[in-house]
Amino acid sequence: MIVLLLILIPLLGGLVAFFLKDAGLARGWSLLVTLATLAVSLAAIATKQHDALTFSAPWMGSLGSSFSIGLDGMGSLLCLLTAVSYPIILLATWRSGHRKASNFFGLMLLTQAGLIGVFTATDALLFYFFWELALIPVYFLCSGWGGERRIPVTFKFFIYTFTGSVLMLIGLTYVYFQTPDRSFSMESFYAVAMSNATQSWVFWLLFVAFAVKMPVFPFHTWQPDTYEQSPTATTMVLSGIMVKMGLFGVIRWVLPVVPTAAYQWGDVVMSMAVIGIIYASIIAIQQNDLKRLIAYSSIAHVGLMAATVFAETHTGLQGVMMQMFNHGINIIGLWIVVDIIERRYGTRKLSELGGLAQKAPGLTILLVIIAFANISLPLTNSFIGEFMMFNGIWNSDVTQYHAVFTALAGLGIILSAVYTLNMIQKIFFGPTTVLTEPARDLAGNERLALGILVAIILFFGVYPQPLLNLTDGFVADLLKAARYSNLPMK
Amino acid sequence: MNTLILSALSGVVMMFSGFLLGSRSAVRTLAHILLLVVIAGTILELRGIEIVHIDTRGMMVFDRFALMFMLVANLCTFAFFALSSKDMERVGSNYSDYFALIFFILSGIVLAASFKSLLILFLGIEIISIPLYILAGSDKLNLKSNEASLKYFLMGAFSTGLMLMGIALVYGASGSFDTTTIHATQAVPALLVAGMMLLLFSMAFKASAAPFHFWTPDVYDGSPTVFTSFMATVVKAAFFIAFMRLFSDAFSGLAPQWKLLVSIMVALTLFIGNLTAVFQQSVKRMLAYSSIAQAGFMLLAIYSLNSDAKEGLLLYAAAYSLATIGIFAVLVKMKDQSFEGFNGFARQHPVVAGALVIFLLSLAGIPLTAGFISKFYMLRATIDGGSLGLAIFAVLMAAVSVYYYFRLIQSMYFKDAGNAVEVPISAGFRATLIVLAALTIVLGLFPQLLTSWLYF
């Protein structure tokens, strides 16, 4: 039942928000709804009753599908990320003053319902439903409230993801016809045995949708533009939570369903991911626009996670899960800072910024910590995640090239230090410019939002055990389903 | 049989109502009442109650599938009446005749949905087509409308000729008009194959499947918009039902002979319909090409011919008709029928624009809408039939269709109106649109509300 609440609260809350004509009221209501969702998701993690974590109701029986949702380790973690991020996002953009606020917040909450639906669905058709449901409100958010070039950019984003997802639908339907009991349920999907050639087909049909969403090189071209043009709150949702849908999809619906193909194409995907890491990092170094810099940095980080997923090791996968959570937290922090800078100084260009360290010490300290997390320095949350991922790639026995991949991905870390430190230097040090001269420090809501994020970063940097405990059992089960059952291992 | 008798009688009554009833609103009310009577007749028949029992000597069969489709067609016609019957006044002076013609078309649809003899098929197709030629040209003073009518008539007459020739050849080969007795023995006679091909081509023409689609954009564009709405939805769906019945009853044994051809037609129709729709500047023309594109998806049902395809075609007919009738009803009211004409529409009429979004999402095949679930049925049927490649091609084309459907959404929501004219929209119209939009979503969530009637 708890898990149903997780979807219902934001769904109904979002529908109500459309009818709250007063902007302040809609905003307050949304914060309340997201806090309620957060409380429920914490309760879901704390609860010992496992019955409460699954829910199933008949729906579309003639199509072999049912409304089945459930929380496992990975699902809980990502639901937690969604639930934690939303109040912080709302808090950080508290004073953005959106036009037609009721519609804006309504759509934001509907997106949350869709996201949680994706993370909890244990039925393939239902998963597809939620996958699209999370996309439609985002389309309206970006097109309605975004920057100047929002319409073509959002359209590109939409067409990319939609094309990917319809191919995924074909893949899922194909697998459905291979299941012994003609069912879309996850158990039946995991029990399917297909020939190697078929698996390859299905693998690519499914993987393209997830690769677009992550995005993995060369499917990434929609991403920097979309991040740049979307309203900040939506960019945070997109980059903090939505890109995780891609990784999640691979882990849940690709590895265990087509294990042989995942093994067969693992090297190809890992190569794509590693190329993406280096390519995106180099472009990030060249960027003068803060939003685009962070967008490319995100491609690099997600690339590492994608590569590690296909290394298929226990440590690596646990690292990926940790990092999915941490990357969400860190990048939302970065966007908050960009938003503050843009609203206050009217520019996102690095060349027009400078000298903020003296003017805004609070902002400086918080950003520096978040930036350190972005380059995975020890004591920050991503250090542990990235360390585990590197460990995973290095020790992987499904690829022969683990040393090459580890070395190249490691280069990505160094490059990330280059662009992140460069960014800090240009924003905070050096002489002040005309634009940054009348600087003020953080407002209360911003201080609170960033403070919470930094607290989370430091807490999980020192004590990551809760996250590891959450995913340990799940990863063990996953690897059992994905590898040793029907693979002729060397 | 109820539906046939009642709709034919209603047509006759409407013809005379023109000079018996003084006001146009009385004519309109009468048409609504008569259609409700027809719907009631269909429902009674679904429950097994017939007003008069007529022995058709095996020339017609009123099975669940036929009856359900009649119900869907009648209900969609009712939605069409509720939304657009007022706008028919503006077409010309023969107001009551338009209703009469539509009722005749409905009786033709009954024949086309329930034939078991090729003669009845021919009668049904002709009874549908001839009133359509008239409706297409009903805007007598408009040159484009005349052109549409003439073009439709000439092309339609030609395809009718093909159909007759096909029926004759099939009769020659099998010695019977009964669709269920046309069996292929070990050696398939060339005569039968030739006849079947001619029937295939003429049905493809009626259903506007490529490469027989060339009349469609001109006819749909030239006809008065209210009638295009009817032509592109209920009538087109009826042709598909007839198409499906013909091929599943008579020619399923000849599958090796036509499968490849139909699969090429599917691919061509999807490709031409979607790609051309992308470049249209007028919403009406875009919808004409979109109807070709949607026909490509419906053709998948004929290609696969399994139980999924049957249920799916019924759902598709309902989903596609509901959405398209809704969009056309709004389009009729617009002064400027290009995409720019819709700029800023959402600010003017938020509720109507919201309903339009649901219709467009349904046509594009986004989940939660009836359009998605009916497309999904088609894909399932195709994949089950072993044609993964065709299914992939179809969804890629569906992704293209997003481009032109979403263009309308962009115009309505994200572009500012320059000096848009206020479009008058009544409360009743708005309420009807909301009901249609709600139906689209309900069908998208619970398709079994419709499909389970096929069996129980």
Side-chain angles (χ1 to χ4, degrees):
Chain A
M1 245 0 235
I2 292 185
V3 59
L4 186 63
L5 276 182
L6 268 179
I7 297 177
L8 278 185
I9 293 173
L11 181 68
L12 299 179
L15 292 179
V16 170
F18 279 109
F19 295 99
L20 301 174
K21 283 304 161 208
D22 180 56
L25 192 62
R27 190 173 57 178
W29 166 255
S30 311
L31 186 63
L32 201 68
V33 171
T34 54
L35 285 175
T37 315
L38 176 60
V40 174
S41 88
L42 287 172
I45 289 175
T47 184
K48 293 279 178 282
Q49 294 169 292
H50 290 285
D51 299 345
L53 295 182
T54 54
F55 178 82
S56 187
W59 176 67
M60 298 221 193
S62 59
L63 291 177
S65 172
S66 66
F67 188 90
S68 304
I69 47 178
L71 275 177
D72 51 16
M74 178 169 59
S76 317
L77 187 74
L78 288 167
C79 285
L80 182 68
L81 171 66
T82 316
V84 169
S85 311
Y86 257 76
I88 295 177
I89 292 171
L90 292 183
L91 208 57
T93 54
W94 194 249
R95 290 174 210 191
S96 297
H98 299 287
R99 294 175 297 111
K100 288 196 245 154
S102 53
N103 292 358
F104 181 84
F105 289 112
L107 289 168
M108 284 287 281
L109 290 177
L110 289 188
T111 315
Q112 192 186 22
L115 286 165
I116 294 182
V118 167
F119 296 143
T120 52
T122 53
D123 181 282
L125 193 61
L126 189 67
F127 171 77
Y128 179 78
F129 258 73
F130 281 122
W131 180 274
E132 293 283 351
L133 283 197
L135 180 62
I136 299 290
V138 166
Y139 170 77
F140 279 94
L141 282 169
C142 297
S143 300
W145 286 267
E148 215 169 293
R149 291 190 299 120
R150 63 188 191 274
I151 296 177
V153 163
T154 313
F155 206 34
K156 182 176 171 189
F157 161 61
F158 189 84
I159 298 263
Y160 256 76
T161 37
F162 187 73
T163 310
S165 57
V166 286
L167 290 177
M168 170 173 87
L169 179 66
I170 296 285
L172 293 176
T173 314
Y174 187 80
V175 178
Y176 159 84
F177 279 113
Q178 313 299 316
T179 53
D181 53 345
R182 288 290 165 99
S183 150
F184 274 104
S185 76
M186 196 164 79
E187 292 75 30
S188 313
F189 265 50
Y190 284 10
V192 156
M194 288 179 280
S195 74
N196 292 358
T198 329
Q199 287 204 16
S200 280
W201 263 99
V202 175
F203 173 82
W204 284 106
L205 285 174
L206 298 178
F207 182 69
V208 167
F210 302 136
V212 168
K213 206 79 171 190
M214 284 190 238
V216 170
F217 177 88
F219 301 100
H220 67 281
T221 54
W222 59 270
Q223 192 244 37
D225 287 338
T226 310
Y227 283 9
E228 188 189 342
Q229 294 297 322
S230 302
T232 312
T234 314
T235 310
M236 292 178 196
V237 174
L238 273 173
S239 58
I241 312 167
M242 227 165 192
V243 296
K244 312 303 182 304
M245 279 165 64
L247 291 160
F248 174 89
V250 171
I251 296 174
R252 169 146 296 167
W253 296 106
V254 173
L255 290 190
V257 176
V258 284
T260 321
Y263 168 71
Q264 185 187 348
W265 294 103
D267 280 344
V268 175
V269 175
M270 285 172 87
S271 310
M272 276 158 49
V274 168
I275 293 172
I277 296 173
I278 308 241
Y279 166 84
S281 303
I282 291 174
I283 295 187
I285 294 175
Q286 309 291 329
Q287 292 302 317
N288 190 25
D289 184 305
L290 266 176
K291 271 195 165 179
R292 292 186 81 85
L293 189 152
I294 297 173
Y296 280 108
S297 127
S298 172
I299 297 180
H301 283 108
V302 173
L304 179 59
M305 292 184 232
T308 318
V309 167
F310 282 89
E312 297 186 49
T313 52
H314 190 102
T315 326
L317 279 167
Q318 275 208 291
V320 170
M321 314 234 164
M322 265 199 76
Q323 201 56 12
M324 284 204 267
F325 184 85
N326 293 333
H327 175 258
I329 297 292
N330 299 348
I331 200 159
I332 288 173
L334 286 173
W335 289 125
I336 294 177
V337 175
V338 173
D339 187 43
I340 293 172
I341 291 177
E342 188 181 4
R343 264 188 294 132
R344 210 150 289 170
Y345 311 117
T347 179
R348 293 195 308 255
K349 298 235 172 349
L350 284 175
S351 53
E352 294 172 3
L353 291 162
L356 279 185
Q358 309 126 34
K359 298 283 180 185
L363 179 67
T364 314
I365 294 170
L366 292 173
L367 175 65
V368 167
I369 296 176
I370 295 171
F372 281 168
N374 198 38
I375 37 184
S376 339
L377 241 53
L379 281 189
T380 63
N381 54 358
S382 14
F383 170 71
I384 295 136
E386 297 225 333
F387 179 77
M388 290 173 78
M389 291 202 289
F390 277 109
N391 183 305
I393 300 182
W394 179 258
N395 287 324
S396 169
D397 51 2
V398 297
T399 170
Q400 299 167 6
Y401 310 109
H402 50 93
V404 184
F405 290 139
T406 316
L408 290 175
L411 194 59
I413 294 259
I414 299 172
L415 292 174
S416 90
V418 174
Y419 58 75
T420 312
L421 294 177
N422 186 33
M423 171 184 88
I424 292 185
Q425 197 179 7
K426 288 211 172 130
I427 300 178
F428 290 108
F429 302 107
T432 54
T433 64
V434 191
L435 289 168
T436 57
E437 190 54 44
R440 278 181 299 112
D441 207 359
L442 294 171
N445 63 320
E446 297 157 353
R447 197 180 291 267
L448 184 60
L450 284 174
I452 297 172
L453 287 175
V454 166
I456 297 175
I457 289 174
L458 293 177
F459 177 78
F460 286 122
V462 180
Y463 186 61
Q465 203 56 40
L467 294 183
L468 292 176
N469 289 344
L470 200 56
T471 56
D472 190 39
F474 171 79
V475 171
D477 291 345
L478 175 81
L479 284 176
K480 228 178 280 161
R483 287 181 63 197
Y484 300 112
S485 54
N486 26 6
L487 255 191
M489 285 307 299
K490 47 190 165 173
Chain B
M1 195 45 82
N2 290 355
T3 324
L4 182 60
I5 295 171
L6 287 173
S7 55
L9 279 180
S10 305
V12 177
V13 171
M14 285 315 295
M15 265 167 67
F16 289 106
S17 74
F19 53 87
L20 292 180
L21 293 176
S23 75
R24 290 187 156 196
S25 69
V27 169
R28 184 161 54 237
T29 319
L30 180 65
H32 279 81
I33 293 171
L34 286 176
L35 186 55
L36 281 178
V37 172
V38 174
I39 293 172
T42 316
I43 293 175
L44 283 182
E45 202 167 351
L46 260 174
R47 317 218 64 173
I49 305 166
E50 281 184 298
I51 304 171
V52 273
H53 183 76
I54 296 174
D55 182 14
T56 59
R57 307 199 174 242
M59 291 174 91
M60 293 172 80
V61 50
F62 292 97
D63 53 10
R64 284 277 169 163
F65 185 62
L67 289 173
M68 275 312 290
F69 177 71
M70 287 175 215
L71 187 61
V72 167
N74 291 340
L75 287 175
C76 289
T77 312
F78 189 76
F80 167 69
F81 274 12
L83 288 171
S84 301
S85 56
K86 252 209 179 90
D87 296 298
M88 279 194 231
E89 282 184 21
R90 286 194 273 135
V91 175
S93 50
N94 311 321
Y95 193 46
S96 58
D97 295 357
Y98 304 147
F99 287 112
L101 290 169
I102 289 175
F103 276 112
F104 288 138
I105 293 176
L106 284 181
S107 62
I109 288 175
V110 174
L111 294 179
S114 56
F115 69 92
K116 207 166 155 276
S117 155
L118 293 176
L119 289 179
I120 299 286
L121 167 71
F122 179 74
L123 274 182
I125 297 284
E126 279 305 282
I127 293 178
I128 297 173
S129 298
I130 292 169
L132 277 184
Y133 304 144
I134 306 172
L135 286 179
S138 55
D139 191 359
K140 286 192 239 168
L141 301 177
N142 185 340
L143 206 59
K144 276 181 87 180
S145 176
N146 282 308
E147 183 199 329
S149 179
L150 189 65
K151 198 175 243 175
Y152 195 19
F153 174 69
L154 289 177
M155 303 282 271
F158 184 63
S159 91
T160 306
L162 284 185
M163 176 177 270
L164 263 187
M165 187 69 199
I167 292 176
L169 292 183
V170 170
Y171 181 78
S174 66
S176 163
F177 284 123
D178 191 328
T179 50
T180 47
T181 57
I182 302 169
H183 290 302
T185 43
Q186 278 82 0
V188 181
L191 211 53
L192 184 59
V193 176
M196 180 204 65
M197 287 297 170
L198 288 177
L199 277 167
L200 173 66
F201 296 152
S202 65
M203 287 312 289
F205 172 88
K206 293 290 179 192
S208 70
F212 307 99
H213 68 284
F214 290 101
W215 59 275
T216 317
D218 292 339
V219 172
Y220 282 10
D221 198 23
S223 308
T225 314
V226 256
F227 297 130
T228 311
S229 165
F230 189 68
M231 228 188 269
T233 53
V234 177
V235 172
K236 175 168 260 190
F239 286 138
F240 265 104
I241 298 291
F243 203 163
M244 172 110 177
R245 189 172 271 274
L246 177 65
F247 272 71
S248 68
D249 284 358
F251 300 131
S252 55
L254 293 179
Q257 269 78 21
W258 55 260
K259 272 258 158 156
L260 179 66
L261 209 59
V262 172
S263 72
I264 293 171
M265 269 164 56
V266 171
L268 261 184
T269 311
L270 284 168
F271 187 77
I272 293 175
N274 282 303
L275 267 278
T276 328
V278 165
F279 298 104
Q280 301 308 315
Q281 295 309 319
S282 136
V283 176
K284 194 175 172 186
R285 249 187 127 74
M286 179 276 276
L287 284 171
Y289 280 104
S290 124
S291 90
I292 299 178
Q294 303 280 353
F297 255 95
M298 287 193 250
L299 265 183
L300 284 176
I302 287 145
Y303 175 73
S304 18
L305 280 188
N306 44 30
S307 67
D308 268 348
K310 223 168 180 180
E311 292 174 24
L313 191 60
L314 193 64
L315 265 177
Y316 212 111
Y320 165 71
S321 302
L322 283 178
T324 312
I325 286 175
I327 298 172
F328 265 113
V330 179
L331 185 66
V332 172
K333 299 194 178 294
M334 304 299 285
K335 298 272 179 309
D336 177 4
Q337 297 192 336
S338 66
F339 280 95
E340 280 75 40
F342 279 87
N343 282 0
F345 188 71
R347 205 156 298 159
Q348 231 180 71
H349 295 291
V351 176
V352 177
L356 279 188
V357 168
I358 292 175
F359 297 143
L360 289 165
L361 292 182
S362 178
L363 286 179
I366 306 283
L368 269 194
T369 61
F372 165 74
I373 215 75
S374 46
K375 278 204 167 74
F376 180 62
Y377 264 101
M378 294 298 165
L379 295 174
R380 258 174 71 110
T382 315
I383 295 173
D384 198 19
S387 314
L388 192 59
L390 199 57
I392 292 174
F393 185 75
V395 294
L396 287 179
M397 287 297 127
V400 172
S401 79
V402 166
Y403 180 84
Y404 51 86
Y405 292 130
F406 272 57
R407 241 179 101 190
L408 197 56
I409 297 183
Q410 288 174 356
S411 294
M412 292 194 299
Y413 277 88
F414 311 129
K415 296 202 172 140
D416 287 326
N419 40 3
V421 212
E422 183 73 23
V423 185
I425 282 176
S426 70
F429 182 84
R430 202 176 307 146
T432 320
L433 270 190
I434 293 173
V435 171
L436 289 194
L439 260 181
T440 303
I441 293 199
V442 168
L443 271 185
L445 281 174
F446 305 105
Q448 62 269 33
L449 289 180
L450 195 64
T451 52
S452 62
W453 277 90
L454 284 175
Y455 307 105
F456 307 111

